[in-house]
């Protein structure tokens, strides 16, 4: 007999549904729905009390309307009333309504909680399960507050029914996920682990999800689960397919539970106990062996279930990364799957192999499959699978196969899906650089890249090739020759023109000997592209032209003529016009020596991490680039004498930023930044580097940091005030530099004598790294009554930091020595540069910063007004860009910014979710550096 | 964790939506549309996994789906779930529906949304799997059904006396499940 017989149910509901389905148009449907909504509303409001059946019917109709995508803004009260019914059907539909249409109305939540409380204590297992389901579905904080202590009791109580235990386990898991602070560990925790031994497989199935989550957060406390999980797994794996009866799925014993057990084990390192480890290895071997046995059924479900376990076993083997024998077997197994006729298996095999490729034991074994993978890249019909193949090629690439892989990826690029081209370009660029044995190959590859997929070549990629060419003199001639040839194509990408302009401007002389590429030919070739290019490229070309005048005096007249023509010297674009005018003047006034000095060849770029790698990491999240790879790239980067983050355009564009009076700055690549950081020359001798003093800080009264937190989101104000002294602050920050003005006001009518101030950096700041470089100018020792003196502090942020510098002030007031130490409000967020981005960019980056340590989250009570405008002002004061229309929930705030330190840039994303009812916030930060996430989270949690 | 379970037909009409994380109604509808758009344009013999749409969380989440006759069953899951395991779970869900409704068809899902929710609730709770044993699930559903029967007896007789509602003849697209040969 079917469990649900089709005839019963509610007639009114069926009629309504068929009415809707018979509607010929959307309008008719909406009309019918509105009619029904009005009807239900009037019934609910009507004087006549509705019986349970009618209530149920109307609530069902509302559910159906909701599913069609219409807002339901009433009926909640009726649903809540149904909860207190004694009839199962009514209660059940009430809970269903609440689970589907969660409402954060606190009035209602209290009523719902009451009903849940009653059901939980009812001792009726069906009602208890309904209540537990409701808690798990809604999972709100109020519910956690009400039930977080009750549910563990139900879970471990001896007399609880199995089905209730199952529900309780998952309900507790849900509460732990939403409000970890409310679920307190206790006596129940040890008993939860033993649920792995429970006789009822369903209980184990539910409990294992809970235990996995708890183990991830508190690995030590739940360590005992390892041996229990191994023995459970071993019992399942070695059981005959009929032993587990109902839990046998298409002849595979308990596949779901096996997968979950293997996942749980992945939370821990290999077991230390030899016996346990032996048993586990045995299990893994059995699983691998079973894969080779003939299938017990031809049905796809059978192989699916079997392979689900197999893939989890392989993941565990890769996670342990310590059993060479198993690793190689795993690799061979995946190799078989690479050619399997099931697309799903090919997809998963490629995905798993990617992680396998980073293990030293199996890297070579993975490499043997290169042909198959290349073939997959070429012939797979499914883009998801091709994407995985490209990822795997990237992962398995090393010096021995780089040329082949890069060539294959290049040829794939020509037909690649648009969605993955940019990433492919980055990967090709990185591999080409990392494994370049000779630089002519590298230059060829990148130029090919620009030729094939110019639109997807980001700035980082062409900056990088220029950096490398500038830094390596053995490749410069070849590069000049190759770009010259590439530019001869009738249509070439603008990025090619940029690279060509830059390289010929620097090294055109190296190929000028050949009459086919004489100076004039070079110039004419470049200039023939000029009119097709955008303004920034034209600006770059103008700079190349003036460099030509220096390299080849014979081109001077021609170039001057070009510069002089109206389309340049009167160009409507200010930047181009300025360049034309300035270059023209420079070329006609300056002597050859001056010209040669000003237009000297670019100095080598400082060596830094490849900016492309950084970009790929940003794109794919750090998971995509393994640690070994990073170390590799550093080493290789050294060989390459690789350039810095500074793109060559800084040279070309400097004029626009700084609008320097002399064009020399433009060409020498002097950065226009740092007007703040540059110390005033006159004060040079007075600059005191606080670190050189290094004297221990005079012991003083406890550090006063009252004012400190008030300045996180603002730059100006009163930092400290008592009866004697007022200290005001004004500060400004730009990039990684800052300047702070301190104003000391004497509030008395008496003179302060021996007034001294010292700025020091405590703890880590001092001993570990000089995170901030502070320059202070000493103040006058006497402060007259009522007078105010000023002090300037120059700050440079070298790396991220979490402590704050201390300001110690000592002075004599009427003979008594006053000693005061304040925390200076220099916080990491001051070095924020706001970043505007679209919703899709935001979420993409958010996802990329997905490692647990990159995220910091805090849930806290509101200390200040939750007014929208106040919040916005604070978030803007923080220094980030406040992004509108990004978060699907308009109540939430999201911000993005980049912290600029001298050594690196740290991208930060922030999300603040206010809950006005609860007067709580949830703050989540994701930054490319974990210490920054943590620090920002600490700082900000005090602000709202 | 399972973030959402969606069922819609070949035309994108939602037949069941269950979100285990809170979104507002508009976003939920957008997610359903986006997911339908992503899934429906795929060929029949490509793999059953793809990256989630932007709204549901992009590449952090996978959409794992099966297509049965007129209906798509889509589970949106994070990386902690086994892809093949979820495929099996979908199969268990469908087979359970088939047993409970006796040759389930799209209409059953339309007219008995509450029942479908109940069955699903016996399998998945708060985004985690509660039970995978089909017989156990059916036993639970049966028990509930008995309780219901005893409570609504009077209405059933009422319905049965009413001839105007012949559900089976009302709409054409019955999708008989042949669970054994269901398209992967």
């Amino acid at each position: 007999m079917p469990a649900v017989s089709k005839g019963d149910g509610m007639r009114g509901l069926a009629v309504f549904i068929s009415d809707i389905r018979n509607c010929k148009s959307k309008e008719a449907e909406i009309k019918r729905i509105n009619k029904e909504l009005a009807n239900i509303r009037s019934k609910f409001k009507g004087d006549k009390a509705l019986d349970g059946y009618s209530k149920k019917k109307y609530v069902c109709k509302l559910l159906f309307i909701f599913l069609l995508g219409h807002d339901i803004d009433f009926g909640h009260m009726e649903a809540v009333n149904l909860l207190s019914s004694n009839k199962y059907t009514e209660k059940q539909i009430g809970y269903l309504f609440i689970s589907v249409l969660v409402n954060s109305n606190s009035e209602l939540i209290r009523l719902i909680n009451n009903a849940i409380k009653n059901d939980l204590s009812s001792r009726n297992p069906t009602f208890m399960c309904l209540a537990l389901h409701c808690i798990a579905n809604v999972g709100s904080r109020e519910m956690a507050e009400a039930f977080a202590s009750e549910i563990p009791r139900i879970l471990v109580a001896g007399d609880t029914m199995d089905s209730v235990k199952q529900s309780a386990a998952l309900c507790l898991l849900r509460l732990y996920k939403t409000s970890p602070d409310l679920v307190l560990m206790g006596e129940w925790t040890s008993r939860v682990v033993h649920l792995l031994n429970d006789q009822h497989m369903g209980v184990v199935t539910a409990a294992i999800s809970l235990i996995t989550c708890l183990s991830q957060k508190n690995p030590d406390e739940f360590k005992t689960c390892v041996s229990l999980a191994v023995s459970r797994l071993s019992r399942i794996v070695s059981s005959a397919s009929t032993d587990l009866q109902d839990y046998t799925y298409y002849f595979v014993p308990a596949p779901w539970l096996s997968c979950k057990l293997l996942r749980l084990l992945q939370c821990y390192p290999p077991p230390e106990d030899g016996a346990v480890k032996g048993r586990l290895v045995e299990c893994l071997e059995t699983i691998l062996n079973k894969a080779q046995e003939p299938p017990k059924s031809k049905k796809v479900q059978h192989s699916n279930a079997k392979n689900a376990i197999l893939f989890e076993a392989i993941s565990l083997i890769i996670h342990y990364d310590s059993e060479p024998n198993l690793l190689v077997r795993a690799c061979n197994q995946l190799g078989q799957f690479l050619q399997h006729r099931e697309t799903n298996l090919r997809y998963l095999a490629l995905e798993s192999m990617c992680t396998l490729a980073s293990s030293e034991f199996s890297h070579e074994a993975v490499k043997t499959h290169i042909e198959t993978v290349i073939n997959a890249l070429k012939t797979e019909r499914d883009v998801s699978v091709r994407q995985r193949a490209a990822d795997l090629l990237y992962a398995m690439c090393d010096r021995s196969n780089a040329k082949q892989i890069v060539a294959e990826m290049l040829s794939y690029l020509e037909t690649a899906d648009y969605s993955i081209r940019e990433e492919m370009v980055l990967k090709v660029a990185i591999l080409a650089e990392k494994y370049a044995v000779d630089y002519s190959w590298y230059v060829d590859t990148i130029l090919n890249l620009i030729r094939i997929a110019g639109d997807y070549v980001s700035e980082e990629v062409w900056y990088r090739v220029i950096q490398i060419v500038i830094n390596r003199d053995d490749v410069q001639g070849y590069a000049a020759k190759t770009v010259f040839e590439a530019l001869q194509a009738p249509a070439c990408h603008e990025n090619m023109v940029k690279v060509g302009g830059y390289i010929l401007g620097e090294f055109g002389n190296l190929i000028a000997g050949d009459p086919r590429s004489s100076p004039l030919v070079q110039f004419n070739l470049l200039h023939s592209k000029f009119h097709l290019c955008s303004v920034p490229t034209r600006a770059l070309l103008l700079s190349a032209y003036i460099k030509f005048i220096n390299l080849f005096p014979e081109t001077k007249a021609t170039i001057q003529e070009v510069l002089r023509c109206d389309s340049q010297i009167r160009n409507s674009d200010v930047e181009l016009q300025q360049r034309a005018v300035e270059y023209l003047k420079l070329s006609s006034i300056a002597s050859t020596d001056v010209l040669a000095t000003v237009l000297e060849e670019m100095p080598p770029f400082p060596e830094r991490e490849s900016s492309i790698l950084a970009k790929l990491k940003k794109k794919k999240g750090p998971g995509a680039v393994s640690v070994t790879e990073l170390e590799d790239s550093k080493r290789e980067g050294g060989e390459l004498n690789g350039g810095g983050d500074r793109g060559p355009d800084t040279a070309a564009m400097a004029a626009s930023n700084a609008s320097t009076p002399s064009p020399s700055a433009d060409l020498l690549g002097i950065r226009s930044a740092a007007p703040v950081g540059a110390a005033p020359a006159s004060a040079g001798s007075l600059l005191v580097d606080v670190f050189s003093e290094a004297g221990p800080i005079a012991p003083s009264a406890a550090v006063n940091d009252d004012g400190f937190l008030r300045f996180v989101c603002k730059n100006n104000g009163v930092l400290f005030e008592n009866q004697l002294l007022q200290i005001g602050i004004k500060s400004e920050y730009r990039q990684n530099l800052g300047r702070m003005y301190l104003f000391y006001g004497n509030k008395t009518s008496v003179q302060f004598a021996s007034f001294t101030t010292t700025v020091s950096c405590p703890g880590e700041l001092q001993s570990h790294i000089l995170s901030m470089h502070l320059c202070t100018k000493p103040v006058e020792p006497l402060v007259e009554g009522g007078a105010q003196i000023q002090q300037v502090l120059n700050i440079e942020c070298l790396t991220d930091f979490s402590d704050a510098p201390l300001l110690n002030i000592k002075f004599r007031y009427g003979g008594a020595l006053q000693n005061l130490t304040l925390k200076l409000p220099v916080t990491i967020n001051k070095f924020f540069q706001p970043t505007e981005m679209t919703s899709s960019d935001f979420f993409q980056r958010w996802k990329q910063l997905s490692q647990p340590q990159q995220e910091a989250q805090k849930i806290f009570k509101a200390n200040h007004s939750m007014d929208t405008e106040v919040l916005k002002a604070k978030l803007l004061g923080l220094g980030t860009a406040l992004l509108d229309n990004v978060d699907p929930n308009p109540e939430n705030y999201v911000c993005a910014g980049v912290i600029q330190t001298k050594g690196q840039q740290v991208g930060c994303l922030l999300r603040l979710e206010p809950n006005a009812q609860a007067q709580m916030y949830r703050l989540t930060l994701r930054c490319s550096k974990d210490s920054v996430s943590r620090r920002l989270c600490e700082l900000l949690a005090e602000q709202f | 964790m399972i973030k959402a379970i969606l069922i819609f037909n070949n035309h994108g009409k939602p037949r069941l939506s269950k979100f285990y994380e809170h979104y507002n109604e508009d976003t939920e509808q957008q997610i359903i549309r986006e997911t339908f758009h992503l899934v429906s344009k795929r060929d029949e013999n490509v793999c059953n996994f793809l990256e989630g749409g932007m709204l549901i969380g992009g590449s952090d989440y996978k959409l794992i789906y099966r297509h049965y006759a007129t209906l798509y069953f889509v589970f949106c899951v994070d990386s902690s779930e086994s892809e093949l395991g979820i495929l099996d779970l979908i199969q268990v869900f469908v087979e359970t529906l088939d047993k409970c409704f006796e040759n389930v068809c799209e209409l059953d899902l339309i007219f008995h949304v509450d029942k479908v929710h109940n069955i699903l609730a016996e399998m998945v709770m708060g985004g985690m799997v509660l039970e995978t044993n089909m017989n156990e699930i059916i036993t639970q559903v049966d028990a509930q059904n008995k309780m219901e029967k005893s409570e609504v007896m009077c209405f059933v007789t009422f319905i049965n006396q009413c001839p105007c509602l012949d559900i089976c003849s009302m709409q054409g697209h019955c999708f008989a499940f042949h669970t054994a040969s269901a398209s992967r």
Side-chain angles (χ1 to χ4, degrees), chain A residues 3 89 92 247 250 263 847, chain B residues 57 79 95 118 131 145 151:
Chain A
T89 36
Q92 180 262 334
Y247 285 87
Y250 288 91
R263 280 273 161 140
K847 246 124 270 146
Chain B
S79 59
E95 285 184 30
N118 281 351
E131 182 60 79
N145 225 43
E151 284 171 8

Side-chain angles (χ1 to χ4, degrees), chain A residues 140-160:
Chain A
S140 72
R141 191 146 180 104
E142 288 91 337
M143 287 193 172
E145 274 163 5
F147 302 110
S149 53
E150 172 72 14
I151 291 166
R153 261 207 300 280
I154 298 177
L155 176 60
V156 297
D159 56 348
T160 307

Side-chain angles (χ1 to χ4, degrees), chain A residues 383-519:
Chain A
V383 57
S384 317
V385 183
R386 286 199 299 272
Q387 168 88 60
R388 296 285 155 263
D391 285 350
L392 177 54
L393 278 183
Y394 178 75
M396 67 160 70
C397 190
D398 64 17
R399 210 169 276 288
S400 70
N401 54 19
K403 281 200 176 174
Q404 185 189 6
I405 286 180
V406 167
E408 291 296 346
M409 285 172 106
L410 267 177
S411 75
Y412 172 60
L413 249 183
E414 301 196 46
T415 54
D417 311 80
Y418 294 104
S419 53
I420 62 172
R421 280 197 186 179
E422 190 183 351
E423 197 189 312
M424 290 286 296
V425 166
L426 285 175
K427 286 184 167 165
V428 171
I430 289 167
L431 293 179
E433 179 185 334
K434 196 167 153 190
Y435 300 115
V437 191
D438 65 292
Y439 290 92
S440 47
W441 175 71
Y442 169 73
V443 170
D444 282 343
T445 305
I446 300 295
L447 292 185
N448 262 331
L449 205 55
I450 297 177
R451 196 172 48 74
I452 294 168
D455 282 342
Y456 300 91
V457 172
S458 57
E459 288 186 333
E460 285 86 350
V461 174
W462 72 263
Y463 286 179
R464 188 75 183 150
V465 67
I466 284 175
Q467 286 163 7
I468 287 175
V469 170
I470 300 253
N471 288 8
R472 306 279 314 187
D473 35 16
D474 52 340
V475 75
Q476 289 162 356
Y478 181 79
K481 181 164 158 286
T482 323
V483 285
F484 177 78
E485 280 161 9
L487 282 174
Q488 275 166 340
C492 57
H493 196 271
E494 191 166 336
N495 279 334
M496 187 71 89
V497 179
K498 287 179 185 161
V499 177
Y502 200 96
I503 290 187
L504 292 181
E506 295 290 332
F507 310 113
N509 54 328
L510 300 175
I511 56 167
D514 188 330
R516 282 169 300 173
S517 52
S518 71

